[in-house]
Amino acid sequence: MRVRDLMNPSVVSITPEESAALAARLLSRHGLGALPVCGEDGSLRGIVTDRDIVLRCVAAEEDPAQTPVKQIMSRGCTVAAPDDDAREAARLMAAKQVRRLPVLEAGRVVGMVSLGDLAGSGRCDMEASKALCEISGNIRSGPFS
């Protein structure tokens, strides 16, 4: 099974200059956990998550309406290609400690694939489960983890 068979091709993205407040509204409105940050040409510049907004903006006492996404986004994203093997994408997520991968084709974002997409396929559930265990095992730091 290939990534293209599982990815969500309806990508909601944001540009680096738009505000963290807009990113938060988009995440909420679309029920997402991450947005690819793309240039005007569709190229991937980074990714911004709900956690980035909370930790790098709100907790840092920055004004989300005045903080551009480029100041809080993660750069150097781990990505997949549509023709990559889905099991390999799950292993990559585990190795890089990420729950979502932007899917790039010809340098442009054409989809997003998540651990949930992989687990829901029924064909990659073991790899997705292992990836989630590895990711979750490394973020246990609070009293309720």
Side-chain angles (χ1 to χ4, degrees):
M1 178 164 285
R2 300 284 167 209
V3 168
R4 83 168 61 254
D5 301 322
L6 302 174
M7 73 180 193
N8 182 348
S10 300
V11 179
V12 177
S13 65
I14 193 163
T15 65
E17 293 75 24
E18 291 178 297
S19 72
L22 176 59
R25 287 192 302 274
L26 288 171
L27 290 168
S28 176
R29 182 178 304 138
H30 296 282
L32 302 171
L35 294 172
V37 181
C38 298
E40 296 297 329
D41 61 354
S43 64
L44 184 67
R45 303 291 173 82
I47 194 163
V48 66
T49 66
D50 47 5
R51 188 166 200 253
D52 293 331
I53 295 167
V54 170
L55 297 178
R56 296 177 181 166
C57 186
V58 177
E61 298 183 6
E62 299 291 337
D63 179 359
Q66 300 301 315
T67 303
V69 168
K70 66 183 171 188
Q71 288 183 4
I72 62 169
M73 70 183 188
S74 297
R75 292 169 170 78
C77 302
T78 303
V79 300
D83 289 326
D84 288 351
D85 182 74
R87 288 183 176 89
E88 186 56 37
R91 286 189 282 273
L92 184 60
M93 287 181 194
K96 298 297 185 174
Q97 302 290 298
V98 296
R99 296 171 189 257
R100 300 165 192 89
L101 294 175
V103 181
L104 301 184
E105 189 169 49
R108 299 187 62 178
V109 178
V110 295
M112 291 286 284
V113 65
S114 70
L115 280 177
D117 298 328
L118 297 171
S121 75
R123 294 187 182 178
C124 301
D125 51 346
M126 291 301 292
E127 288 85 354
S129 177
K130 183 179 178 196
L132 183 58
C133 287
E134 289 183 27
I135 293 167
S136 297
N138 286 335
I139 61 170
R140 292 181 188 201
S141 59
F144 304 106
S145 300

